[in-house]
Protein backbone atom coordinates (compact mmCIF):
# COMPACT_ATOMS: atom_id res chain seq x y z
CA UNK A 1 0.00 0.00 0.00
CA UNK A 2 1.37 3.39 -0.94
CA UNK A 3 2.00 5.94 1.81
CA UNK A 4 -0.36 8.47 0.18
CA UNK A 5 -3.19 5.94 0.53
CA UNK A 6 -2.47 5.50 4.24
CA UNK A 7 -2.81 9.23 4.83
CA UNK A 8 -6.31 9.10 3.38
CA UNK A 9 -7.47 6.28 5.69
CA UNK A 10 -9.19 6.82 9.00
CA UNK A 11 -7.50 5.37 12.07
CA UNK A 12 -10.27 2.80 12.65
CA UNK A 13 -9.78 1.56 9.07
CA UNK A 14 -6.06 1.17 9.69
CA UNK A 15 -6.76 -0.80 12.88
CA UNK A 16 -9.23 -3.02 11.01
CA UNK A 17 -6.54 -3.65 8.39
CA UNK A 18 -4.07 -4.44 11.18
CA UNK A 19 -6.46 -7.03 12.62
CA UNK A 20 -6.73 -8.66 9.19
CA UNK A 21 -2.92 -8.63 8.78
CA UNK A 22 -2.63 -10.36 12.18
CA UNK A 23 -4.89 -13.15 10.89
CA UNK A 24 -8.00 -12.09 12.79
CA UNK A 25 -11.57 -11.64 11.66
CA UNK A 26 -12.54 -8.03 12.42
CA UNK A 27 -16.21 -9.05 12.15
CA UNK A 28 -15.86 -11.50 15.06
CA UNK A 29 -18.10 -10.50 17.99
CA UNK A 30 -15.25 -9.57 20.32
CA UNK A 31 -13.49 -7.48 17.66
CA UNK A 32 -16.34 -5.60 15.96
CA UNK A 33 -15.88 -2.47 18.08
CA UNK A 34 -12.14 -2.93 18.68
CA UNK A 35 -11.03 -0.46 15.96
CA UNK A 36 -13.14 2.30 17.54
CA UNK A 37 -11.94 1.41 21.06
CA UNK A 38 -8.29 1.34 20.00
CA UNK A 39 -8.62 4.65 18.18
CA UNK A 40 -10.16 6.23 21.28
CA UNK A 41 -7.42 4.80 23.50
CA UNK A 42 -4.63 5.95 21.18
CA UNK A 43 -6.10 9.44 20.91
CA UNK A 44 -6.07 9.69 24.73
CA UNK A 45 -2.61 8.13 25.12
CA UNK A 46 -1.18 10.60 22.60
CA UNK A 47 -3.21 13.64 23.66
CA UNK A 48 0.00 15.38 24.73
CA UNK A 49 0.66 16.33 21.11
CA UNK A 50 -2.35 18.65 21.14
CA UNK A 51 -1.70 20.09 24.60
CA UNK A 52 -0.81 23.74 24.94
CA UNK A 53 1.74 24.19 27.76
CA UNK A 54 0.51 27.71 28.56
CA UNK A 55 -3.08 26.51 28.84
CA UNK A 56 -2.05 23.55 31.01
CA UNK A 57 -0.08 25.77 33.37
CA UNK A 58 -2.88 28.35 33.35
CA UNK A 59 -0.77 31.24 34.69
CA UNK A 60 -0.15 29.37 37.95
CA UNK A 61 3.13 31.21 38.54
CA UNK A 62 3.45 33.17 41.75
CA UNK A 63 6.07 35.64 42.93
CA UNK A 64 7.44 34.55 46.26
CA UNK A 65 10.47 35.10 48.47
CA UNK A 66 11.47 31.44 48.76
CA UNK A 67 14.70 29.90 47.54
CA UNK A 68 14.71 26.41 49.06
CA UNK A 69 14.06 23.18 47.20
CA UNK A 70 10.50 22.34 46.15
CA UNK A 71 9.89 18.66 45.41
CA UNK A 72 6.92 16.79 44.00
CA UNK A 73 7.69 13.10 44.03
CA UNK A 74 6.06 9.81 43.10
CA UNK A 75 4.17 11.28 40.13
CA UNK A 76 2.68 8.31 38.29
CA UNK A 77 2.99 8.34 34.52
CA UNK A 78 2.13 6.06 31.61
CA UNK A 79 3.52 6.41 28.13
CA UNK A 80 3.96 4.52 24.86
CA UNK A 81 7.42 3.56 23.65
CA UNK A 82 7.94 5.10 20.23
CA UNK A 83 9.88 2.03 19.06
CA UNK A 84 7.24 -0.68 19.64
CA UNK A 85 4.11 1.25 20.71
CA UNK A 86 4.16 -0.72 23.94
CA UNK A 87 3.54 0.90 27.32
CA UNK A 88 6.13 2.02 29.79
CA UNK A 89 5.10 3.33 33.16
CA UNK A 90 6.57 4.52 36.41
CA UNK A 91 7.14 7.51 38.62
CA UNK A 92 8.72 10.93 38.21
CA UNK A 93 10.35 12.91 41.00
CA UNK A 94 10.76 16.60 40.26
CA UNK A 95 12.49 19.35 42.18
CA UNK A 96 13.38 22.96 41.56
CA UNK A 97 14.88 25.83 43.49
CA UNK A 98 12.85 29.01 42.95
CA UNK A 99 14.56 32.23 42.01
CA UNK A 100 11.64 34.65 42.18
CA UNK A 101 8.60 32.51 41.29
CA UNK A 102 6.98 29.22 42.18
CA UNK A 103 4.55 27.18 40.13
CA UNK A 104 1.30 25.73 41.46
CA UNK A 105 2.14 22.24 42.70
CA UNK A 106 -0.66 20.55 40.74
CA UNK A 107 0.82 21.90 37.50
CA UNK A 108 3.94 19.77 37.84
CA UNK A 109 2.11 16.41 37.41
CA UNK A 110 0.11 17.97 34.57
CA UNK A 111 3.38 18.82 32.84
CA UNK A 112 4.46 15.18 33.18
CA UNK A 113 1.14 14.12 31.61
CA UNK A 114 1.66 16.42 28.61
CA UNK A 115 4.98 14.83 27.75
CA UNK A 116 4.16 11.24 28.72
CA UNK A 117 1.03 11.23 26.55
CA UNK A 118 3.06 11.08 23.37
CA UNK A 119 5.05 8.42 21.58
CA UNK A 120 8.10 8.74 23.73
CA UNK A 121 11.34 7.40 25.09
CA UNK A 122 12.09 7.76 28.78
CA UNK A 123 15.25 9.79 28.21
CA UNK A 124 13.40 12.43 26.19
CA UNK A 125 10.46 12.49 28.61
CA UNK A 126 12.85 13.26 31.48
CA UNK A 127 14.61 16.00 29.52
CA UNK A 128 11.37 17.55 28.16
CA UNK A 129 9.93 17.93 31.66
CA UNK A 130 13.15 19.43 33.06
CA UNK A 131 13.71 21.88 30.22
CA UNK A 132 10.10 23.07 30.18
CA UNK A 133 10.06 23.66 33.93
CA UNK A 134 13.37 25.55 33.62
CA UNK A 135 12.04 27.67 30.77
CA UNK A 136 8.66 28.48 32.34
CA UNK A 137 9.61 29.04 36.00
CA UNK A 138 13.22 30.20 35.47
CA UNK A 139 14.41 28.72 38.76
CA UNK A 140 17.99 28.41 39.99
CA UNK A 141 17.88 24.78 38.93
CA UNK A 142 15.71 21.77 38.12
CA UNK A 143 16.15 18.08 38.88
CA UNK A 144 14.02 15.32 37.36
CA UNK A 145 14.30 11.58 37.95
CA UNK A 146 12.10 9.09 36.14
CA UNK A 147 11.99 5.40 36.97
CA UNK A 148 9.98 3.07 34.78
CA UNK A 149 9.17 -0.43 33.67
CA UNK A 150 9.06 -1.03 29.92
CA UNK A 151 6.78 -3.61 28.35
CA UNK A 152 9.11 -3.74 25.34
CA UNK A 153 11.65 -5.31 27.73
CA UNK A 154 9.11 -7.37 29.68
CA UNK A 155 6.83 -8.84 26.98
CA UNK A 156 9.29 -9.28 24.12
CA UNK A 157 13.00 -9.06 23.42
CA UNK A 158 14.96 -9.84 26.58
CA UNK A 159 11.76 -10.63 28.55
CA UNK A 160 13.08 -9.34 31.87
CA UNK A 161 10.11 -8.96 34.20
CA UNK A 162 11.79 -7.17 37.09
CA UNK A 163 14.13 -4.79 35.30
CA UNK A 164 13.57 -1.07 35.47
CA UNK A 165 15.16 1.99 33.94
CA UNK A 166 16.11 5.24 35.67
CA UNK A 167 16.87 8.50 33.93
CA UNK A 168 17.73 11.91 35.27
CA UNK A 169 18.03 15.46 34.06
CA UNK A 170 19.85 17.97 36.22
CA UNK A 171 19.89 21.64 35.22
CA UNK A 172 21.41 24.71 36.85
CA UNK A 173 22.21 24.28 40.54
CA UNK A 174 21.34 20.57 40.39
CA UNK A 175 24.03 20.02 37.77
CA UNK A 176 26.60 22.45 39.18
CA UNK A 177 26.38 21.68 42.91
CA UNK A 178 26.91 18.15 44.23
CA UNK A 179 25.33 19.03 47.59
CA UNK A 180 22.12 20.16 45.84
CA UNK A 181 22.00 16.93 43.85
CA UNK A 182 22.67 14.89 46.99
CA UNK A 183 19.89 16.67 48.91
CA UNK A 184 17.45 15.98 46.06
CA UNK A 185 18.39 12.30 45.90
CA UNK A 186 18.13 11.92 49.69
CA UNK A 187 14.69 13.56 49.79
CA UNK A 188 13.42 11.46 46.88
CA UNK A 189 14.53 8.29 48.65
CA UNK A 190 13.12 9.42 52.03
CA UNK A 191 9.84 7.73 52.92
CA UNK A 192 7.83 9.40 55.65
CA UNK A 193 4.91 7.84 57.49
CA UNK A 194 2.50 10.46 56.16
CA UNK A 195 2.99 9.59 52.48
Amino acid sequence: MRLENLYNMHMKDLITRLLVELGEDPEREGLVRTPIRVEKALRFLTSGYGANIDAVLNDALFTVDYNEMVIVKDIDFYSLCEHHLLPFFGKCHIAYIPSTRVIGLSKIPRLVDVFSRRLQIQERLTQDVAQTLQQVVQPLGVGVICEARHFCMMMRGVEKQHSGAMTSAMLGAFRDRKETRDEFLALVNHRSNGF
Side-chain angles (χ1 to χ4, degrees), residues 11-176:
M11 189 184 299
K12 69 180 184 60
D13 297 327
L14 292 168
I15 296 161
T16 301
R17 172 81 188 260
L18 176 65
L19 291 171
V20 170
E21 291 294 324
L22 291 172
E24 268 295 351
D25 173 11
E27 299 299 317
R28 184 166 61 81
E29 181 183 12
L31 294 176
V32 170
R33 295 190 38 79
T34 295
I36 293 167
R37 287 188 201 103
V38 171
E39 177 179 0
K40 209 171 172 182
L42 286 173
R43 297 255 184 238
F44 174 75
L45 294 171
T46 59
S47 61
Y49 288 119
N52 177 314
I53 298 291
D54 292 332
V56 169
L57 300 180
N58 197 23
D59 293 323
L61 293 169
F62 309 100
T63 303
V64 66
D65 184 18
Y66 183 81
N67 61 1
E68 298 296 327
M69 197 176 298
V70 176
I71 300 177
V72 179
K73 64 182 191 174
D74 296 327
I75 302 167
D76 292 323
F77 74 89
Y78 303 87
S79 193
L80 290 175
C81 162
E82 68 182 31
H83 301 135
H84 302 99
L85 299 185
L86 290 173
F88 68 96
F89 64 96
K91 294 186 180 300
C92 271
H93 315 288
I94 301 172
Y96 72 98
I97 300 173
S99 173
T100 58
R101 305 185 297 180
V102 296
I103 188 169
L105 292 176
S106 70
K107 302 306 178 183
I108 294 174
R110 291 177 197 270
L111 193 58
V112 172
D113 287 344
V114 166
F115 291 110
S116 65
R117 290 186 183 149
R118 299 176 179 192
L119 300 182
Q120 194 57 281
I121 59 173
Q122 184 175 333
E123 297 87 342
R124 185 184 317 115
L125 169 62
T126 307
Q127 196 66 39
D128 285 347
V129 170
Q131 289 176 343
T132 302
L133 197 58
Q134 181 72 38
Q135 180 183 354
V136 170
V137 182
Q138 299 176 345
L140 301 174
V142 173
V144 177
I145 296 172
C146 291
E147 43 189 324
R149 290 240 163 121
H150 294 250
F151 274 47
C152 58
M153 286 177 55
M154 297 167 70
M155 295 176 67
R156 54 155 305 284
V158 296
E159 297 184 51
K160 300 301 175 207
Q161 306 307 308
H162 304 289
S163 296
M166 292 187 77
T167 51
S168 69
M170 304 291 171
L171 305 176
F174 288 83
R175 176 181 287 276
D176 300 339

